[in-house]
Amino acid sequence: MKTTAEPGWLRWLLIAAALGFLGINLALPLAQVFAGALAKGIAVYRAAVVEPDAVAAMRLTLTVAAIAVPLNIVFGLAASWAITKFDFPGKAMLISLIDLPLSVSPVVSGLIYVLLFGLQGWAGPWLREHDIRIVFAVPGIVLATVFVTFPFVARELIPLMLEQGRSDEEAARSLGATGWQTFRRVTLPNIRWGLLYGVLLCNARAMGEFGAVSVVSGHIRGLTNTLPLHIEILYNEYNYVAAFAVASLLAGLALVTLVAKSVLEWRFGDAIAGGGH
Amino acid sequence: MIVLLPLSAIFIKTAGLGWREFVAVALSRRALAAYRLSFGAAALAAAINAVFGLLVAWVLVRYDFAGKRVVSALVDLPFALPTAVAGIALTALYAPNGWIGSLLPFKVAFEPVGVVVALTFIGLPFVVRTVEPVLADLGADVEEAAASLGAGRWTTFRRVVLPAVLPALVTGFALAFARGVGEYGSVIFIAGNLPFRSEIAPLLIVQQLEQYNYRGATAIAATMLTASFAILVAINLLQAWDRRKMAAL
Amino acid sequence: MTVAVANLVKRFRDHTALDGVSLDVRPGEFLALLGPSGSGKTTLLRIIGGLDFPDAGTVAFAGRDVGAMAARDRKVGFVFQNYALFRHMRVADNIAFGLTVKPRGQRPTGAAIKRRVDELLALVQLPGLGGRFPAQLSGGQRQRVALARALAVDPQVLLLDEPFGALDAKVRNDLRRWLRGVHEAMGLTSIFVTHDQDEALDLADRVAVMSDGRIEQVDTPDAVYNRPATAFVADFIGNATRFDCRLADGVIEVAGVRLANTAPAAADGRGVAFIRPHEFALASAGEPGLAATVRRVAHTAARASVECVLADGRVVDVSAPLDVAAAAGEAVTLVPTTVRAYPA
């Protein structure tokens, strides 16, 4: 035995304590979702999932993610490119700002959009004149989701790009590559796995966001209800089986995300370093 | 642009409020009780996570056991699982007739302690994922050096390992805490939302909004933002101080 | 192609990296930029390559001002310190990169590119390794791939930043000679940055010694070594020991020993003198010269190295013939045979 190893019994005790904590705190809730969903058999489960309001919520959730995720890929790439490849005053400030949506309550994030675009908000009168609805409509949900999920791509890319430095790009430039050629052929391949990793997390949050979306959506069934909001409604109506059935879809998505994320970590650990969440 | 502009809206809107009105809404007894619950439960949950998060990170970094990869992936579940899903699952688990709730001699769901349970679920990965890389980077050599100087395992842990991971642990605690203060989705189901007892501050904002009281909602939001911001700044300062200490060595 | 920079100034925040640098590089020349870290040599190289831009001053290639030209248009080959090979591309794709990013009209055909890559792989003595990834190569091989990549676009100027810095001693020596050969065979004008004086003196036609953002001396290796123009150069090159001295009528007095100054004439008065290990003779204690005690004698390859401690506690290395009679603990006198002195 090495001098710096714990005795066997202590090692097993620590492992058991850690696993016990994780089991109660993480595994049990996950199991509860699926158990709750199948409590009344598979037929009830299927009925709850294909019910029209659930399908509409699913469609809306997918639409929102399909808009918010690509937008944040662009924003995230632009922000991390600017931060890592150029020097400018206030750079440190900008880096800490990027994380801000993570530490602001999602409810507050939603509130912001109500204040800006709500009927009594700053842009309210103008929007009403032009008959544009943002709050309590799909655009508001998209905006709030973009805000809340903005950090995920950028915060994966910035440490990665900082660590890789600028010399690859400089080499490409000295060999005659244009800015776009440099980005497409040198930068992007270097960060692709980190980018995918960020997109994965961004997508999971975009589909699952509750607080911010709840505030801006208005909860109109079949129209502005996303899957998480639909779960809340079902749950508050004491329709537990249906609530868990819909929840199991999102839990399934979470599991897929975790598996994909782990595969990325094992296979391309070095290429997504910088790490974090 | 995306981040700063909207945030400033909150404070500008709040500034439009008279002082008296601000106090009446944001510092009402009900609001104060909600802040106390939000910040208190978040601090407690973050503390629990600091202890168990360090344990989990240690076990994941230092030991090999069957299923380690699965366990490691599971740690990120709270990042990936929508909060509403977590909320209803935790509520069902801890309800008096739930798998866990039926075993406990006291009530968890619909009580303040339920809030702590939900925030512990949400905050765990923040601690594990900030401490893990630091622990992995902390080579075996410093521990071997401590051992060669005659330190036992516990002394080595306390005097060598713990101080080295402490900054990361504090960061993880701060992240979990900040997230916990603002958390909404996973809490509202399990909290029971009784005014003065198990009602969290974000819920108060939502309620004000549902009554179309935008000013009230904004006032509470501004108070929360200021408090969270102050705590984050304090922790940042603490870390900067710690870094200087290290650099001076 | 000539490379001429004039009056370059470059500031980073509160520190001046280049403080009025002028340098003319002749066509076909192999020039070393030598200096301690922070002396501005890499900044100068990057400005010549168009990777950084000066706050003031001009850069001209063959008499043409290229100051406003971006790196991609300057057509210089740049070899980076850690090679900056694209790790997601195979060796062949790395080498071909500069050809494949040319505008469509000037881009060679796929077959021509492949031919060129094979030529370059042969030139850098890595035939058949085109299919490997950079991570599968040794340090010396990566170095050569980086060079092949830079040469693929037929640059007339080759810039190398610490080209041998990351290699071990044996590989470094082989690569030096080989690089010199490539430089001559291709008729390049090459500039390389190094902090290793042996490397600069061994390889370059001329050496520019830099310190604190200025060029102290540009000369042949022989002149830089034997006739340092400034106190900095005399101190930096050749492991010299520094003494305070008096100058009078071109005669230096160090510790009571009077010698002719071999450095450029300096005004009378207080000065600093530099003496290298082989510029001392060992004499018995009591002779005129510097009193010292032998601490250790090491017999290396061709000479003995005698470590002496002066009365003031300073340690001086003296190079002596292998059969030197000194023994540890013995009191001796160090008699300077050659001295270079500069005004203090």
Side-chain angles (χ1 to χ4, degrees), chain A residues 220-241:
Chain A
I220 306 166
R221 256 198 202 210
L223 276 182
T224 62
N225 244 0
T226 61
L227 279 181
L229 298 182
H230 191 60
I231 293 173
E232 185 194 18
I233 291 181
L234 291 170
Y235 192 84
N236 288 342
E237 287 170 349
Y238 303 103
N239 192 350
Y240 294 138
V241 172

Side-chain angles (χ1 to χ4, degrees), chain C residues 274-294:
Chain C
F274 296 92
I275 307 174
R276 297 198 175 119
H278 64 273
E279 292 166 344
F280 286 109
L282 286 175
S284 0
E287 304 267 326
L290 295 154
T293 312
V294 176

Side-chain angles (χ1 to χ4, degrees), chain C residues 193-324:
Chain C
V193 157
T194 180
H195 64 271
D196 179 343
Q197 47 176 297
D198 291 338
E199 192 169 289
L201 299 177
D202 181 44
L203 200 55
D205 295 318
R206 286 194 304 158
V207 179
V209 184
M210 295 189 68
S211 152
D212 268 346
R214 294 171 170 281
I215 290 185
E216 296 273 336
Q217 183 175 7
V218 189
D219 234 322
T220 60
D222 171 59
V224 166
Y225 188 82
N226 291 312
R227 294 182 295 284
T230 66
F232 174 83
V233 180
D235 196 10
F236 184 66
I237 305 252
N239 190 23
T241 309
R242 178 192 174 113
F243 296 93
D244 292 323
C245 68
R246 292 200 63 79
L247 286 147
D249 298 331
V251 174
I252 310 162
E253 192 182 317
V254 182
V257 180
R258 295 164 64 87
L259 280 166
N261 190 7
T262 55
D268 291 354
R270 291 165 48 78
V272 282
F274 296 92
I275 307 174
R276 297 198 175 119
H278 64 273
E279 292 166 344
F280 286 109
L282 286 175
S284 0
E287 304 267 326
L290 295 154
T293 312
V294 176
R295 190 154 75 179
R296 200 170 153 269
V297 183
H299 295 273
T300 51
R303 302 274 292 176
S305 171
V306 184
E307 192 179 312
C308 300
V309 186
L310 297 178
D312 63 6
R314 282 201 291 167
V315 177
V316 179
D317 271 324
V318 176
S319 170
L322 273 180
D323 57 358
V324 64

Side-chain angles (χ1 to χ4, degrees), chain A residues 191-240:
Chain A
I191 61 172
R192 61 190 155 175
W193 300 118
L195 181 63
L196 184 58
Y197 192 86
V199 166
L200 215 57
L201 297 179
C202 180
N203 182 58
R205 185 71 194 270
M207 291 199 176
E209 178 50 31
F210 181 72
V213 169
S214 165
V215 170
V216 297
S217 97
H219 304 270
I220 306 166
R221 256 198 202 210
L223 276 182
T224 62
N225 244 0
T226 61
L227 279 181
L229 298 182
H230 191 60
I231 293 173
E232 185 194 18
I233 291 181
L234 291 170
Y235 192 84
N236 288 342
E237 287 170 349
Y238 303 103
N239 192 350
Y240 294 138

Side-chain angles (χ1 to χ4, degrees), chain A residues 150-163:
Chain A
F150 172 70
F152 289 97
V153 173
R155 60 179 294 151
E156 283 306 322
L157 293 184
I158 289 172
L160 186 60
M161 285 165 82
L162 278 179
E163 187 197 300

Side-chain angles (χ1 to χ4, degrees), chain B residues 25 34 58 75-76 80 98 100 113 145 151 158 169 183 213-214 228 247:
Chain B
V25 180
W58 176 273
V75 167
D76 283 330
I100 299 179
V113 63
R158 201 166 44 82
L169 197 58
E183 180 54 25
N213 184 357
Y214 289 3
S228 316

